[in-house]
Amino acid sequence: MSHGHDHHDHGHPHDEASAPAWKHDGVRVIAANQLDANTAQTPGMNRAAAINFARVGAQKLWAGTVTIHADAKTGAHHHGHLESVIYVVRGRARMRWGEQLEFTAEAGPGDFIYVPPYVPHQEINASPTETLECVLCRSDGEAVAVNLDIEPVEKPESVLWVDPTHPHGGV
């Protein structure tokens, strides 16, 4: 049965010099203990890079972890032209955003958070006892974090997640 591609190995198995580039530059596994904390940081959180240009040659994305200690919050910041996706692994994330961080929403384990370019925001660990652990992905290999000096409103407006599953909003 033909699948439209060739199953033959055109390289020479005993000649490393002629091996396809993807043999060594293909799939990469970055072990949990090999993350790089030498990346753009914001007060109140610890970011560590797993996937970026320097580590694996990634051209169009950045991925890593974010940890926020119990009852802690980050400084206000944005990520320039980058889009960000945060996946909550453990804990309860409270996000605040807006010109005065006047909007807020929460996310728990298994939830995804999308942050558009240039949106001022702040991550807050909503738990007084549990560390918040997240996976973070960005739309470019550069680590942009622009820290902002924002005077937040005292009582942010709660915003429910609205999506096809929760057309009228959910928590």
Side-chain angles (χ1 to χ4, degrees):
M1 176 179 209
S2 176
H3 297 289
H5 55 271
D6 192 347
H7 289 278
H8 300 291
D9 180 6
H10 292 289
H12 305 298
H14 302 294
D15 181 5
E16 284 296 312
S18 66
W22 49 258
K23 179 174 182 180
H24 298 288
D25 297 329
V27 172
R28 300 282 301 274
V29 174
I30 308 301
N33 65 355
Q34 295 177 329
L35 301 185
D36 182 7
N38 186 21
T39 186
Q41 298 292 335
T42 296
M45 67 175 12
N46 299 103
R47 291 188 189 101
I51 308 298
N52 61 16
F53 179 77
R55 305 204 74 209
V56 300
Q59 300 286 320
K60 299 178 183 175
L61 58 88
W62 183 101
T65 60
V66 172
T67 303
I68 302 175
H69 298 289
D71 213 21
K73 62 185 177 185
T74 71
H77 61 281
H78 69 72
H79 301 288
H81 67 283
L82 305 180
E83 294 178 288
S84 299
V85 173
I86 302 167
Y87 174 78
V88 180
V89 175
R90 180 176 293 116
R92 189 101 193 132
R94 179 177 300 133
M95 296 292 292
R96 289 180 69 171
W97 70 94
E99 292 298 323
Q100 293 186 294
L101 305 176
E102 65 268 31
F103 304 106
T104 184
E106 290 195 9
D111 293 342
F112 287 84
I113 301 165
Y114 170 69
V115 182
Y118 298 102
V119 171
H121 63 281
Q122 174 186 51
E123 291 94 343
I124 299 169
N125 184 339
S127 170
T129 58
E130 187 179 14
T131 298
L132 173 60
E133 297 177 19
C134 302
V135 172
L136 170 61
C137 296
R138 294 220 187 89
S139 60
D140 197 325
E142 58 186 315
V144 175
V146 179
N147 295 320
L148 303 170
D149 186 14
I150 290 179
E151 195 64 42
V153 294
E154 285 306 306
K155 293 195 176 203
E157 176 185 337
S158 186
V159 177
L160 299 177
W161 297 123
V162 177
D163 59 33
T165 308
H166 305 94
H168 304 292
V171 287

